[in-house]
Amino acid sequence: MDVQYEGEKNREFFNRKIEEYDATHATFMKTKNELCSYLPQDVTKILDLGVGTGLELIEIFKKYPDVDVTVIDISEKMLEKLKQRDFSDRIHIIQGNFFYLDFGDDYDAVISTSALHHFLLKDKLVLYKKIYQALKIGGVFLNADKIVNTDLEEEEAIEYYNLYAHEKPHIDRPLSIHHEEEILKEAGFQNINVFLVDKENYRLIRAYK
Ligand SMILES: C[S@@+](CC[C@H](N)C(=O)[O-])C[C@H]1O[C@@H](n2cnc3c(N)ncnc32)[C@H](O)[C@@H]1O
């Protein structure tokens, strides 16, 4: 199954990249920090998918020191680094593939940064349905990630992936804005907004249950 394969590939890739990860992603901190300002003021319970070393949580714990956060990631090395952060004793850490894990159903917010641009539309729809189920009524899904402008750009990325995936370990397959909105609606979400938060194609999607 594609998601299992992608999950394993991601695990190997991020385990290998751990030493340089935080420095490489320093250029994306604006987006990761900004996600915090889209959280509901009264947020108490958050699920973070693909938390990595926890860069997006730095700002969140500054603003909401008592918030209850559960995180999922497939890479044990990324999670080891997360465990070294000063807020690590305040999070519930789950190692595994988010396509196969049960999320529960009582979150105010499900968040994700830079983690969901490797999955095809059909698989992402399955994930978005799980995220929808994980939220309380009125809860919000915030995804800051690479999302391209057009379906053509999406197709080109998939074509490139199909040509080179066997020799390159990490090729992005971002969906278009139009497809993101379509599958969020199909999963049940409403009041969907897409914000350009930083570099071109790096966007924050906000969608409510
Ligand atoms: C680019 S990093 C983002 C980390 C962090 N959210 C950030 O913004 O710095 C993507 C993370 O998603 C995780 N990941 C990718 N696919 C996954 C899957 N199927 N299940 C769980 N974690 C996954 C990777 O292990 C990696 O730590």
Side-chain angles (χ1 to χ4, degrees):
M1 192 182 176
D2 190 54
V3 291
Q4 193 167 7
Y5 172 67
E6 274 310 309
E8 251 333 283
K9 268 178 57 176
N10 281 329
R11 177 171 164 261
E12 282 168 21
F13 179 81
F14 286 104
N15 277 348
R16 258 198 330 274
K17 292 285 168 189
I18 187 62
E19 290 314 322
E20 68 225 54
Y21 182 82
D22 281 7
T24 309
H25 271 250
T27 56
F28 294 103
M29 282 315 288
K30 182 174 183 293
T31 317
K32 297 181 206 290
N33 288 340
E34 201 156 318
L35 181 137
C36 181
S37 63
Y38 288 80
L39 284 168
Q41 289 300 315
D42 57 353
V43 66
T44 61
K45 199 164 173 186
I46 297 175
L47 173 66
D48 185 339
L49 301 178
V51 66
T53 65
L55 291 172
E56 64 275 22
L57 295 179
I58 298 171
E59 193 66 18
I60 290 176
F61 275 113
K62 265 192 220 157
K63 191 167 172 193
Y64 303 100
D66 298 322
V67 70
D68 179 334
V69 179
T70 298
V71 304
I72 298 178
D73 202 285
I74 202 164
S75 158
E76 63 274 25
K77 297 276 182 208
M78 296 289 264
L79 291 176
E80 270 167 32
K81 195 94 179 239
L82 170 70
K83 286 176 192 159
Q84 290 164 22
R85 296 209 186 273
D86 57 9
F87 50 74
S88 67
D89 57 345
R90 286 181 268 165
I91 37 188
H92 313 281
I93 298 177
I94 302 170
Q95 195 212 330
N97 189 329
F98 42 58
F99 280 94
Y100 299 113
L101 289 164
D102 181 29
F103 292 167
D105 58 7
D106 60 349
Y107 292 95
D108 302 306
V110 176
I111 66 168
S112 187
T113 62
S114 310
L116 306 181
H117 54 268
H118 294 280
F119 308 109
L120 293 173
L121 185 139
K122 67 176 173 47
D123 299 322
K124 237 171 162 177
L125 173 60
V126 173
L127 189 65
Y128 285 2
K129 285 182 178 168
K130 285 184 71 175
I131 293 170
Y132 186 83
Q133 289 305 323
L135 286 166
K136 290 179 189 163
I137 303 286
V140 67
F141 172 41
L142 299 172
N143 179 24
D145 203 2
K146 198 175 198 180
I147 294 160
V148 291
N149 283 312
T150 64
D151 292 354
L152 180 63
E153 284 171 85
E154 178 187 313
E155 282 162 29
E156 285 169 353
I158 294 170
E159 244 170 66
Y160 186 80
Y161 177 97
N162 291 340
L163 281 174
Y164 297 108
H166 63 287
E167 60 188 67
K168 294 186 182 194
H170 201 69
I171 301 176
D172 297 345
R173 287 187 295 184
L175 297 189
S176 65
I177 298 175
H178 158 247
H179 278 151
E180 284 285 348
E181 288 174 332
E182 195 173 89
I183 57 172
L184 284 164
K185 273 187 206 140
E186 199 174 332
F189 286 98
Q190 50 189 332
N191 298 335
I192 301 161
N193 291 105
V194 184
F195 307 95
L196 187 61
V197 279
D198 193 3
K199 301 172 193 199
E200 202 193 341
N201 290 342
Y202 216 84
R203 296 184 158 85
L204 188 139
I205 293 192
R206 182 181 62 192
Y208 288 94
K209 178 165 179 174

